[in-house]
Amino acid sequence: MALPPWAAFLTVVLITAFFLKAIVSSRRRTYNLPPGPKPWPIIGNLNLIGDLPHRSIHELSKRHGPLMHLRLGSLPVVVAASAEMAKSFLKTHDAVFSDRPSFAAGKHTAYNFSDILLPPYGAYWRQARRICAAELFSAKRLELFEDVRGDEVRAMLRGLREASSGGGVVRLRDYLRMATLGVISRVVLGRKYVEVEEDVGEGGSHAPVMAPAEFMAMLHEYFELNGVFNIGDFIPWLEWLDLQGYVRRMKRTAKMLDWFLERVLDEHNVRRRLEGDKFVVRDMVDLLLQLADDPNLEVKLSRDNVKAITQDLIVGAIDTSSNTMEWAVSELLNNPEFLTRATKELDNLIGGNRLVTEKDLPHLSYIEAIIKETMRKHPPAPMLAPHLSREDTSIDGYDIPAGTILLVNVWSIGRDPTSWDAPEKFQPERFVGSKIDMKGQCFELVPFGSGRRMCPGYSLGMKVMALGLANLLHSFSWSLPDGVSKKKLCMDEIYQLAMPRKIPLEAIVQPRLPSYLYTGA
């Protein structure tokens, strides 16, 4: 019996679709992917990622190995969780993984990927990298601002001494953030735009643009939003729904930051016009605006480019440096024997009649060991910023297709028992006399990343952290408040772009040095 016309047509369509699928499948390459958990439909392995993604992924790596494949929504992801794997991705195959994924945070909070951290691989990013290396973070320019760093550290010590006069408890984070904000503001912006009281500078009185609490709340929101796992990034067809409300918050935060940066650039441009031929570069914004006028640049810097790079310079150092110092003091309070050793080194080398200067830092080997051990246990960015493969490649016998996201879990690498003895313990001694550094070539310790995408502000961050921590330990005796023992001191973290303590550290400080050193009298 003959088939009805509609059935015959449907049969032809199904047979055609079957053969087309077979042809496409035969041409599609079969990849030998790294091991990993089986993904669910649509969400992939997103169900396995908890509130602390670095810890969730660490547990998965313990089951599947230091090179692991995940499916987060529709996106393929590989995780490097050992020094050997980090070296393979960030050194051996650095060029292949030098791109960035196009996530919502880069679009909405970084002027559409116009900053230093998140742009795709290409001419603009290469130019921004050269500007950082040759201009913004050159040894000569960092040396020019040595006095600024010293001034802001002394201001922090003075504030802590005043707070200690009544024997009360200080919340260390507040002082650390204001100190690092002061350094970065003066180095990058030329003056403090965030102050409690009016700041009087050259040429007249300049009112602060924003109060500290308001500015810090804005930065906290920025860091949280740049560390979230946004469903729309991993399941693009759901992006328009903004299910978690993150994109709405990103746009609001970006608007606030843009208002602040517009004020900064307007003020700088006014001074440039008023000074005319007598204009001299005083800060990094001046330098960027001058470069924006250069017709010989490969890629012209727009106003948004200048704002995006300036934003990176501000936010990239404040929480990273202050969080690391807060973690370091927390660990030392939990391990008073190491605090005693650090104080002894400072007393022997510095004495009791002066503060620590940057010229002292190369001789303070134990302070350096404390910072390294702190960054091993509490890396500022626990999984670095994500990379993206530009072409197909092979790692350790496995295929990594083009378009795969790379996550380097430096938090996991810092706890790898094949690289570290007793990795869960805080032991600065492991770095005393060690040749392991944090410059991106010792892959057991890469808190700033490595290769082309390594953090360009590494040198400035290290100077701020080392000078700040050394003076905190030299200038004060530290203890926990009554009723708080090291067993009760919470050491939990929050997952953000920079990883802070969940509960800010509160401690009792007592001055150790003559009063005139704090007041500058």
Side-chain angles (χ1 to χ4, degrees):
M1 185 174 64
L3 292 173
W6 65 266
F9 175 76
L10 181 60
T11 302
V12 171
V13 169
L14 291 174
I15 292 172
T16 302
F18 174 80
F19 280 107
L20 286 175
K21 183 178 179 181
I23 292 171
V24 170
S25 298
S26 66
R27 293 179 179 176
R28 183 183 299 160
R29 178 178 172 183
T30 300
Y31 290 101
N32 177 31
L33 300 174
K38 185 177 180 180
W40 285 25
I42 302 178
I43 65 171
N45 301 121
L46 282 172
N47 61 304
L48 302 178
I49 308 300
D51 292 337
L52 299 173
H54 57 293
R55 289 180 179 264
S56 301
I57 292 175
H58 174 69
E59 293 302 319
L60 291 170
S61 294
K62 286 164 66 174
R63 293 202 293 270
H64 298 284
L67 175 58
M68 178 176 62
H69 182 269
L70 299 174
R71 194 90 185 170
L72 298 183
S74 61
L75 302 185
V77 177
V78 289
V79 178
S82 72
E84 180 184 2
M85 288 297 104
K87 182 177 181 180
S88 294
F89 284 104
L90 301 181
K91 183 176 182 179
T92 307
H93 299 276
D94 180 32
V96 175
F97 291 92
S98 57
D99 214 343
R100 295 286 198 212
S102 298
F103 287 164
K107 178 180 179 181
H108 298 295
T109 70
Y111 293 91
N112 198 24
F113 310 99
S114 293
D115 63 340
I116 303 169
L117 178 67
L118 300 175
Y121 183 84
Y124 172 76
W125 169 78
R126 288 193 296 269
Q127 177 176 275
R129 184 168 171 253
R130 286 195 299 270
I131 290 172
C132 286
E135 302 285 353
L136 300 180
F137 296 111
S138 67
K140 181 179 179 180
R141 189 158 301 279
L142 292 181
E143 185 179 350
L144 290 174
F145 294 108
E146 181 177 344
D147 289 344
V148 169
R149 295 188 289 272
D151 288 346
E152 293 304 318
V153 167
R154 282 191 293 274
M156 174 180 67
L157 301 178
R158 185 165 57 250
L160 283 168
R161 182 180 180 275
E162 292 171 358
S164 72
S165 60
V169 176
V170 300
R171 181 169 136 148
L172 181 58
R173 179 177 299 176
D174 298 338
Y175 296 89
L176 292 173
R177 284 183 171 176
M178 287 307 297
T180 53
L181 175 59
V183 171
I184 300 306
S185 294
R186 292 175 64 186
V187 170
V188 177
L189 310 179
R191 74 172 181 89
K192 295 182 182 180
Y193 284 76
V194 179
E195 275 283 37
V196 177
E197 298 179 354
E198 193 173 271
D199 178 33
V200 180
E202 293 185 22
S205 176
H206 297 284
V209 172
M210 195 175 289
E214 184 182 3
F215 188 80
M216 290 304 176
M218 183 174 65
L219 286 192
H220 176 81
E221 182 79 345
Y222 175 91
F223 276 100
E224 180 180 346
L225 293 171
N226 275 266
V228 295
F229 272 54
N230 176 40
I231 289 177
D233 289 332
F234 299 102
I235 308 176
W237 55 273
L238 291 177
E239 180 181 8
W240 66 279
L241 290 172
D242 188 20
L243 293 171
Q244 299 148 292
Y246 289 146
V247 171
R248 182 173 64 256
R249 290 168 57 189
M250 288 175 188
K251 291 178 179 178
R252 182 171 64 244
T253 301
K255 185 176 181 179
M256 294 172 63
L257 279 165
D258 184 71
W259 175 86
F260 175 83
L261 293 167
E262 281 288 332
R263 293 285 298 272
V264 170
L265 264 61
D266 285 345
E267 185 176 295
H268 280 71
N269 279 326
V270 168
R271 184 172 66 82
R272 293 172 79 211
R273 288 195 298 271
L274 290 176
E275 294 185 2
D277 294 339
K278 296 180 180 180
F279 170 78
V280 292
V281 170
R282 299 181 186 178
D283 53 59
M284 292 185 179
V285 170
D286 279 342
L287 180 60
L288 288 169
L289 289 171
Q290 190 175 67
L291 288 169
D293 293 336
D294 185 353
N296 298 317
L297 282 182
E298 181 182 359
V299 181
K300 181 173 175 56
L301 290 181
S302 68
R303 188 177 178 91
D304 277 356
N305 294 150
V306 173
K307 288 189 291 186
I309 294 173
T310 301
Q311 178 177 284
D312 266 13
L313 296 175
I314 297 171
V315 303
I318 293 174
D319 267 24
T320 298
S321 300
S322 60
N323 287 346
T324 300
M325 288 188 279
E326 186 180 20
W327 280 117
V329 175
S330 301
E331 289 285 5
L332 292 172
L333 285 171
N334 268 355
N335 299 274
E337 66 275 20
F338 303 137
L339 178 58
T340 300
R341 178 168 175 178
T343 303
K344 184 177 180 180
E345 178 185 69
L346 290 161
D347 288 344
N348 289 339
L349 292 174
I350 309 301
N353 294 308
R354 68 181 181 90
L355 300 178
V356 182
T357 69
E358 289 191 7
K359 293 178 177 60
D360 298 315
L361 299 180
H363 308 292
L364 298 175
S365 58
Y366 200 67
I367 297 298
E368 180 182 347
I370 289 172
I371 292 175
K372 287 179 178 178
E373 178 69 345
T374 301
M375 296 198 115
R376 179 192 69 83
K377 281 199 71 180
H378 310 283
M383 289 197 295
L384 302 182
H387 294 241
L388 184 72
S389 61
R390 302 170 58 219
E391 59 188 55
D392 289 0
T393 190
S394 295
I395 304 285
D396 200 33
Y398 293 103
D399 297 326
I400 312 294
T404 299
I405 294 171
L406 165 65
L407 299 177
V408 180
N409 195 343
V410 294
W411 190 90
S412 196
I413 293 171
R415 285 161 172 73
D416 185 353
T418 65
S419 295
W420 309 101
D421 294 329
E424 294 296 334
K425 292 185 178 180
F426 183 80
Q427 295 179 340
E429 275 74 10
R430 72 174 86 238
F431 289 108
V432 176
S434 169
K435 294 183 179 180
I436 294 177
D437 60 37
M438 295 182 288
K439 298 179 180 179
Q441 295 302 311
C442 300
F443 291 89
E444 301 91 341
L445 191 66
V446 284
F448 297 98
S450 179
R452 289 169 171 82
R453 289 287 188 168
M454 183 175 175
C455 174
Y458 158 80
S459 297
L460 176 60
M462 285 301 301
K463 287 180 182 295
V464 172
M465 287 186 288
L467 184 66
L469 181 63
N471 275 293
L472 286 173
L473 302 183
H474 185 49
S475 302
F476 298 99
S477 298
W478 293 83
S479 60
L480 292 170
D482 292 341
V484 179
S485 68
K486 66 179 182 180
K487 292 182 179 179
K488 295 181 180 179
L489 182 59
C490 176
M491 298 294 281
D492 293 341
E493 72 271 16
I494 299 173
Y495 185 83
Q496 292 182 355
L497 184 62
M499 186 174 67
R501 286 175 50 87
K502 183 176 182 178
I503 300 176
L505 175 65
E506 294 185 341
I508 298 173
V509 295
Q510 294 294 328
R512 300 179 66 242
L513 303 177
S515 60
Y516 69 87
L517 293 177
Y518 302 91
T519 61

